[in-house]
Amino acid sequence: MNASYDVIIVGARIAGATLAWELSRLGLRTLLLDRAEFPSDTLSTHNVYANTLSKFREMGVLDELLATGTPLYDRAHINFEGAIIDGRFPAVDGIDGCLCVKRKYIDDILFRHARAQPGVTAMSGFRATALIRGLGGEVTGVTGVTKEGQVLSFSAPLVVGADGRRSSVRQWTGAVRRLVVPTDYASYVAYVDGYVQGEERFVEFYKQGDKLAIAFPTSDAQYVLGFMFPLSDTERIERLRTEPEQGLRALAEEGFSATDFPDRLRSASFAGRIRALLGYDNDWHAGMGRGWSLIGDAFSFKDPAVGQGIHDAVFGAGLLASTLSAYRPAEWLQAWEEMAARYEDGMQAKLRSRFEIGCQMTRNAPIPPELLGAYRLIGTDERATRTFLGMYNYTNEPSDIDREMGRLFAELQVPRA
């Protein structure tokens, strides 16, 4: 194995594997590292919208993702305090649907695909332990240890942290945290068998009072369920430590009794371990410095209820590769300020609006009456509903929803003949 590369990527899940594929297309020698052995699971709601599926088709992995048997779906049922929005996501590039593939499948598929690309060397079971720095303080490589205990060092003019929400690379670089909004919620994720929706599969989202629930059809004929309730409810958290299944069933019965969600959950059986995320920050960091960069959750983490994590990881990988392509590797250190500005400006322009939506959702605050009224109005109109759902797969922007609301309000004021 070589000791020197153009780019070293620490973290080989969706963000890192996608970046390795992008860099291969640029002819760059890339080392892709991860402490896990694939296939490997990780905490995630793992939903992918059609815009990202279009990218996976371009990468050549969509057919393998579909071969996992995970069902495509194109419908959403959203219930905000009784204001119901039920409709179809718009198609993107001829792809009409969303896909909620378990991470043990999607991460493995992307890792193997990246490893097969020209110029990519991939190593799993390698734990990075430190960054190497040059005489001027710039990052010049990484040191780590294999699963057999062998200490290895590798050099490159750029080290990329794609190592998740608690990124070690980000910590070692001292990347500035530009924004932070702590969540008010505890989050739990569980898989269930036998959850019944009828003939059609779709995503469900409920907000009732200070509680949220979400259900996605996923791989292995299962559903992945997410539950959120205030972190201040320490009594419930303690019960979930000792009785996780019974605690989540009680949460569904108590928190969502105004919906049919608890009825259908009663017939389902929980499968596997229930996972918890007890507090997290919605954050946004500096994306690049002298010899380093960040992508995916290492760059920015947002409330999982908005389901944008995989999209942001894939988009960021493409943007970073495009940014690097404007210069030769030997020029990166001198040009890092210009590259950082281009990369961070591009991330902000594309992702910031959904990040801000996540920050709004992460606060335990009642939905204002005027916003509930807007949701009810959107739910009565198919075009407005489609526009609202199109915000999630970037077919539409929040400003498009504002225009639809203007149309609907104007129509309400037109006297009927």
Side-chain angles (χ1 to χ4, degrees), residues 13 34 36-42 102-105 107-108:
R13 294 187 184 271
D34 203 288
E37 294 277 8
F38 296 97
S40 169
D41 205 1
T42 189
K102 286 183 178 179
R103 292 297 296 269
K104 67 180 182 180
Y105 297 132
D107 290 355
D108 181 50

Side-chain angles (χ1 to χ4, degrees), residues 46 71 102 190-198 200-204 215-225 264:
H46 49 74
K102 286 183 178 179
Y191 293 100
V192 294
D193 293 307
Y195 184 79
V196 178
Q197 286 187 323
E200 183 178 20
R201 297 189 179 188
F202 53 96
V203 60
E204 305 171 35
F216 291 101
T218 188
S219 314
D220 304 324
Q222 293 180 330
Y223 282 75
V224 56
L225 307 183
R264 288 179 290 115

Side-chain angles (χ1 to χ4, degrees), residues 100-114:
C100 190
V101 185
K102 286 183 178 179
R103 292 297 296 269
K104 67 180 182 180
Y105 297 132
I106 189 172
D107 290 355
D108 181 50
I109 289 169
L110 288 175
F111 176 76
R112 288 188 287 102
H113 188 67

Side-chain angles (χ1 to χ4, degrees), residues 8-79:
I8 298 170
I9 306 170
V10 179
R13 294 187 184 271
I14 292 171
T18 302
L19 178 61
W21 178 85
E22 296 276 9
L23 298 179
S24 174
R25 299 174 74 196
L26 298 177
L28 296 174
R29 295 174 300 117
T30 303
L31 177 62
L32 181 63
L33 304 170
D34 203 288
R35 65 188 304 167
E37 294 277 8
F38 296 97
S40 169
D41 205 1
T42 189
L43 180 62
S44 175
T45 49
H46 49 74
N47 188 61
V48 185
Y49 295 101
N51 54 330
T52 306
L53 292 179
S54 176
K55 180 65 178 183
F56 287 157
R57 181 176 60 190
E58 177 190 345
M59 292 173 62
V61 297
L62 181 57
D63 287 344
E64 192 170 357
L65 292 172
L66 292 172
T68 64
T70 307
L72 278 168
Y73 71 90
D74 68 351
R75 177 185 164 200
H77 176 85
I78 301 172
N79 186 326

